[in-house]
Amino acid sequence: MKKTVLFVSLALAAMTANAQTKEIATVSTPTSEYVMEPMFCVSANGNYAAGDQGAVTLLDLNTGEASVFYEEENDGSFAKAVTNDGTIIGQYGNGGMDSPAAILKKGAKQWEYLPVPEGCNATGTAPQGATADGKYLVGYAASDGTYPETYVPVIWTLQDDGKYTVEVMPRPEKDIWGSVPQFTMLFGISNDGNTAYGRVVDYTGFATLGIIYKKDAEGNWSFKTVGEDWLIIGTENPGPQPTFESIVTAEEGTEEYRDQIKQLDQAIMDWWPKAEAYAHLSSAPTNQIRVNANCISGNGKYVVLATPSDGVRRYNTEDFTFDLVQGSGSYMGSSVTDNGDVLLASGFNGMYSAYICPASENMDGTTPLLDWVQANYDTTIETGEKFTGGTEGLGVTCCTPDGKTFVGFNNPQQQGMWSVSTIVRIGKGPLVPTSIQDVMTMQQPEIENGTLNIPEGVGEVSIYGTDGTQVAAFTAEGSVDLSSYASGMSIVKVKVGKLTKTFKVNL
């Protein structure tokens, strides 16, 4: 049965005073029965959400209709952005670097590949953001050796004939040491196509800066890196890291060659302490400046970055000043509205909780997103049939520029369900709860008392620790005692044909 729950956590006097002025906010769990497709992106007009996990799904936020695109031979496609007309921007293929850049139009039966810049490879080329109308897409491309960088920033532009062209964007020629950066990547673009943002990774791979692009009236792009005040902690720059070419000149196999190799090793060992004294270096991506998708406002005024020591910053792209949103390094930015409200996520044991820091509160703290919704709107929860969990764990969230639609995924507090998409709609009426269509036609795997039951077919089973480390992988059918493969809290992923289910269980 579908349940409707009215939150009553507000004081009665406050509810009475605000009853006539508050808009209604509806919290929906549209994919509540199944866990295949957590939603990762939302269109600027709030009409569509898209996600991927074994298949790519377009969710109509007005009707609740879910359209699934799945091909077994191309399992592993990605949804990175969705436009106002329901076009999914992402990658189509076998997953990871084997999935070239592509788009999937609403109702289409096939993806359309995007062009690849000259000097780049199709595999490793990925769009990450799009304007609301899909005219401009931004991302990055993998060099085939033509460019000295491993990845270069690119922009795709929709032409009058309905086809995209692509070009490599200008970018920094030198990193903080004076070497060529490894990566410059774009992650988002404003809806007018005039502001974009991303990150720059230095030659070592351990120092990251944010980068903000602006386009002038003639269509020329310029850029500015941000975050140097966090990254650079010393005064003496040791210059470029010693390279093989700078020291080793002798013929391979000679005694002089072996001596020069030793000199190179020593030079690099001497260089690192000096580099660490000059810049905040980290081999862990989460301890570098974090640049995530969805972190540019639709109007292009704000970009959100996170740093491990200073927390989350909201940059003003007009003058490159910033406000400190959250001083803790445990948070990351997940979205920002046109008026500067910042959405954040904070993780623990692999699960993330969503928070908001409204611009009207002078960026001085964070509030759990659902607490904020309940405090400001008359709130109801709409859940799909067979869903018995709550939405207290609403997680990583992106939102529309007007801050009226929030799309994320949460821990539903229900046995056998690891993540469920959750939609928050303010003043737009409820989303009709539904289930993923055309994929779940078989009896589904279940886990009970540590035993995996696969009613139909042969399942591909993967077991992970809560830190993401894989501890077992095997095929199975019928019933399997999982305790022989793992113990303690574990994540179990089971794929049977087109169906993928993920469980969080204590073995």
Side-chain angles (χ1 to χ4, degrees):
M1 296 291 294
K2 181 165 66 177
K3 300 185 298 181
T4 302
V5 180
L6 176 65
F7 284 108
V8 292
S9 58
L10 300 180
L12 181 60
M15 291 180 65
T16 303
N18 295 322
Q20 309 235 344
T21 59
K22 283 188 176 182
E23 290 184 276
I24 294 176
T26 304
V27 181
S28 300
T29 52
T31 58
S32 54
E33 187 176 351
Y34 307 113
V35 297
M36 278 195 64
E37 320 301 340
M39 297 293 114
F40 299 131
C41 46
V42 62
S43 61
N45 59 8
N47 288 341
Y48 298 100
D52 59 76
Q53 188 170 316
V56 169
T57 293
L58 178 70
L59 180 65
D60 188 318
L61 297 181
N62 296 313
T63 67
E65 179 184 0
S67 303
V68 178
F69 188 90
Y70 177 89
E71 288 184 348
E72 187 171 357
E73 64 272 21
N74 285 298
D75 179 22
S77 300
F78 300 100
K80 299 294 186 180
V82 59
T83 64
N84 280 347
D85 66 358
T87 297
I88 294 175
I89 312 300
Q91 294 171 268
Y92 170 63
N94 295 316
M97 292 305 179
D98 294 329
S99 300
I103 64 171
L104 180 63
K105 295 179 180 178
K106 182 184 179 184
K109 301 299 183 182
Q110 293 293 330
W111 290 75
E112 299 177 19
Y113 286 118
L114 293 170
V116 178
E118 185 177 354
C120 295
N121 294 312
T123 55
T125 296
Q128 299 290 312
T131 56
D133 59 5
K135 181 175 177 58
Y136 299 105
L137 319 176
V138 293
Y140 52 85
S143 172
D144 65 4
T146 302
Y147 296 102
E149 305 100 320
T150 304
Y151 291 100
V152 293
V154 295
I155 184 168
W156 289 269
T157 303
L158 185 63
Q159 304 300 315
D160 292 339
D161 62 1
K163 302 295 184 182
Y164 282 94
T165 58
V166 64
E167 62 180 307
V168 176
M169 296 276 278
R171 58 211 179 276
E173 296 181 356
K174 302 292 183 182
D175 62 15
I176 60 174
W177 319 109
S179 299
V180 177
Q182 278 198 47
F183 311 153
T184 303
M185 298 173 161
L186 290 177
F187 287 90
I189 187 168
S190 60
N191 285 326
D192 62 7
N194 292 330
T195 306
Y197 80 103
R199 66 171 177 159
V200 181
V201 180
D202 77 318
Y203 175 84
T204 71
F206 299 149
T208 302
L209 291 173
I211 188 167
I212 296 174
Y213 283 80
K214 302 289 287 186
K215 185 167 65 175
D216 63 22
E218 286 72 42
N220 300 312
W221 287 96
S222 60
F223 58 82
K224 178 178 175 59
T225 56
V226 292
E228 286 89 344
D229 59 316
W230 165 79
L231 181 66
I232 298 174
I233 57 178
T235 57
E236 186 175 351
N237 189 332
Q241 178 180 334
T243 63
F244 183 91
E245 295 78 9
S246 66
I247 293 178
V248 181
T249 59
E251 182 178 352
E252 185 175 357
T254 64
E255 185 66 30
E256 184 181 7
Y257 177 88
R258 288 189 287 271
D259 289 342
Q260 290 178 349
I261 290 294
K262 293 179 182 179
Q263 294 172 23
L264 173 63
D265 291 343
Q266 186 60 52
I268 293 176
M269 291 176 62
D270 293 341
W271 182 86
W272 269 104
K274 299 176 183 177
E276 291 173 338
Y278 178 71
H280 184 111
L281 304 180
S282 175
S283 59
T286 55
N287 289 333
Q288 301 173 9
I289 294 181
R290 285 172 281 184
V291 183
N292 301 311
N294 303 311
C295 284
I296 185 171
S297 59
N299 59 12
K301 184 176 180 179
Y302 300 108
V303 165
V304 175
L305 306 177
T307 63
S309 59
D310 293 337
V312 179
R313 295 176 176 182
R314 187 193 67 183
Y315 280 87
N316 187 316
T317 65
E318 297 173 354
D319 58 13
F320 301 102
T321 58
F322 68 85
D323 294 302
L324 183 61
V325 177
Q326 170 56 241
S328 168
S330 65
Y331 289 84
M332 65 180 184
S334 60
S335 199
V336 58
T337 67
D338 279 350
N339 71 351
D341 299 336
V342 176
L343 275 294
L344 307 101
S346 181
F348 178 74
N349 286 339
M351 290 305 300
Y352 286 87
S353 295
Y355 297 84
I356 187 169
C357 185
S360 59
E361 296 181 6
N362 300 316
M363 317 307 288
D364 59 357
T366 57
T367 302
L369 179 59
L370 285 186
D371 288 355
W372 176 81
V373 171
Q374 294 175 55
N376 289 276
Y377 303 97
D378 289 332
T379 309
T380 62
I381 290 184
E382 299 276 351
T383 62
E385 294 181 3
K386 299 185 181 180
F387 182 66
T388 60
T391 56
E392 291 82 358
L394 180 62
V396 179
T397 306
C398 60
C399 67
T400 51
D402 62 3
K404 296 292 188 179
T405 301
F406 303 84
V407 174
F409 54 94
N410 71 325
N411 175 6
Q413 309 291 319
Q414 182 171 336
Q415 175 67 25
M417 301 180 74
W418 174 237
S419 62
V420 169
S421 293
T422 300
I423 315 297
V424 179
R425 289 163 60 83
I426 297 171
K428 295 186 179 183
L431 167 66
V432 180
T434 186
S435 301
I436 295 296
Q437 300 173 350
D438 302 326
V439 174
M440 312 322 166
T441 58
M442 64 179 68
Q443 288 184 296
Q444 299 176 56
E446 298 292 346
I447 296 178
E448 185 174 358
N449 297 324
T451 297
L452 169 65
N453 297 301
I454 305 176
E456 295 183 36
V458 177
E460 299 175 17
V461 183
S462 302
I463 303 178
Y464 304 85
T466 54
D467 62 355
T469 303
Q470 187 178 71
V471 297
F474 54 91
T475 59
E477 56 185 321
S479 297
V480 181
D481 181 3
L482 298 179
S483 62
S484 61
Y485 294 94
S487 61
M489 192 61 65
S490 302
I491 309 304
V492 180
K493 181 178 180 181
V494 184
K495 179 181 177 184
V496 184
K498 296 180 179 181
L499 170 66
T500 300
K501 289 198 69 173
T502 305
F503 306 86
K504 181 182 180 183
V505 294
N506 195 5
L507 300 176

